[in-house]
C-alpha cells in the first residue's frame, strides 16, 4: 500500500532523456527479464494492501497507533487536475499537528463527520506544517469518502488524525557527495509524498543524476505541472510519462517502469538510491530493475 491512498503545462521541459521509444515487445521483455529479482527479494519488500474501513481499530491494527482526532478548517481547496483536488488544512491551532510532520512521506487520516476516514499522504514539506498548514492531493471519486472531501469549501471543518508513519528515510542517501544518483518514481496521487520530499530538499543540486519518473494517463490527469520548473531548478530532471497521451504528445509514452527500463543508465549503482510511491505493479517492476542493476535494497525507499 502506498499511503498516498486510496494523484497549463508549458511543454518546454528540459528533459535530458531520449524521446525515441523502443518497440513495446522489447520494453516488456526488458521488464520481464529483471522481474525475477523482485521475487527473490519479495520477503524483504512487502507491498500490502489494506481494506478501507472506518474507525480507529484498523489504524491500531495496521500502524500500532491509536488515532487521536482533532478538528481543522479548510484553508483552501481547488482543482489540481481533472481527477484531483488540492486540499489545504489550517492546523495553526494544533501544536501537535504542526510539530508532528517531521519527514516527507508521512500521512494522516482525514474524515468529514461520521464518514469513514481517508488515508492521505502529506503533499507539503514539513516546514509548511511548522507554519500552520498541511496540503494534500485528493482523488475525487463520486460517492466515496475522498469525493466528499473534494466537495468541501473554504471554512468547512474536517477531523484529522495526528501525523502518522515514519516517512522516507532520507538519511539512507546522505550525504549527497556519497550518493550521486537518486531516482524518484511516482504514479497518480503517489506524487504527493514525492513532492513533499523534493520540496523538503535532499541536496539534489549537489548530485550528478536526480530524475523523477512521473506517470499519469494524460496531461489532464497529471497534477502539479505548475511546479515542474521549480523542481527542475532544485536539480531534479522531470520525466513525465503518459500511458494514453494525446496525438501531439512527444514525450515518454507507456508506463513508468518501461520508460526507466530503456533509459536507466545508472553509472554507480552501489552509490544510488531511489524513492517510490504509486501503483503496486510499478513499485514491484522498478524495484526488480533497480536490484538487478545492483542498487542496494536498503536504498530502495518507500514511505511506509
Amino acid at each position: 500500500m502506498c499511503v498516498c491512498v486510496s494523484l497549463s503545462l508549458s511543454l518546454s521541459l528540459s528533459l535530458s532523456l531520449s524521446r525515441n521509444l523502443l518497440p513495446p515487445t522489447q520494453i516488456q521483455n526488458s521488464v520481464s527479464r529483471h522481474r525475477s529479482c523482485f521475487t527473490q527479494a519479495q520477503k524483504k519488500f512487502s507491498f500490502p494492501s489494506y481494506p478501507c474501513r472506518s474507525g480507529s481499530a484498523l489504524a491500531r491494527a495496521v500502524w500500532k497507533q491509536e488515532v487521536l482526532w482533532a478538528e481543522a478548517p479548510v484553508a483552501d481547496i481547488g482543482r489540481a487536475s481533472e481527477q484531483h483536488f488540492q486540499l489545504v488544512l489550517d492546523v495553526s491551532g494544533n501544536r501537535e499537528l504542526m510539530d508532528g510532520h517531521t519527514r516527507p512521506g508521512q500521512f494522516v487520516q482525514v474524515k468529514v463527520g461520521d464518514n469513514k476516514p481517508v488515508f492521505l499522504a502529506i503533499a507539503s514539506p514539513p516546514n509548511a506544517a511548522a507554519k500552520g498548514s498541511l496540503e494534500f492531493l485528493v482523488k475525487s471519486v463520486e460517492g466515496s469518502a475522498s469525493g466528499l472531501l473534494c466537495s468541501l469549501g473554504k471554512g468547512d471543518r474536517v477531523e484529522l488524525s495526528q501525523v502518522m508513519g515514519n516517512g522516507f528515510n532520507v538519511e539512507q542517501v546522505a550525504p549527497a557527495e556519497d550518493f550521486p544518483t537518486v531516482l524518484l518514481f511516482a504514479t497518480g496521487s503517489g506524487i504527493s509524498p514525492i513532492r513533499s520530499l523534493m520540496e523538503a530538499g535532499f541536496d539534489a543540486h549537489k548530485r550528478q543524476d536526480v530524475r523523477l519518473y512521473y506517470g499519469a494517463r494524460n496531461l489532464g490527469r497529471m497534477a502539479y505541472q505548475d511546479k515542474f520548473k521549480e523542481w527542475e531548478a532544485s536539480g531534479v530532471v522531470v520525466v513525465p510519462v503518459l500511458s494514453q497521451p494525446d496525438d501531439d504528445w512527444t514525450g515518454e509514452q507507456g508506463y513508468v517502469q518501461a520508460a526507466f527500463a530503456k533509459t536507466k543508465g545508472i553509472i554507480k549503482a552501489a552509490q544510488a538510491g531511489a524513492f517510490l510511491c504509486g501503483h503496486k505493479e510499478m513499485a514491484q517492476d522498478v524495484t526488480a530493475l533497480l536490484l538487478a542493476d545492483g542498487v542496494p535494497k536498503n536504498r530502495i525507499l518507500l514511505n511506509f
Side-chain angles (χ1 to χ4, degrees), residues 135-172:
E135 297 181 33
F136 306 93
L137 187 66
V138 187
K139 185 174 181 179
S140 180
V141 179
E142 188 174 355
S144 70
S146 61
L148 182 58
L149 286 175
C150 294
S151 70
L152 297 175
K154 187 175 181 179
D156 289 339
R157 304 185 75 84
V158 302
E159 290 188 76
L160 70 162
S161 71
Q162 71 271 42
V163 178
M164 308 176 89
N166 295 323
F168 288 122
N169 188 2
V170 183
E171 292 80 6
Q172 290 291 89

Side-chain angles (χ1 to χ4, degrees), residues 2 9 104 114 118 181 242 244 248 268 281 299:
C2 170
L9 172 67
D114 293 329
V118 180
T181 298
L242 305 182
Q244 297 181 27
D248 58 353
K268 296 179 180 179
E281 184 176 355
R299 288 202 287 275

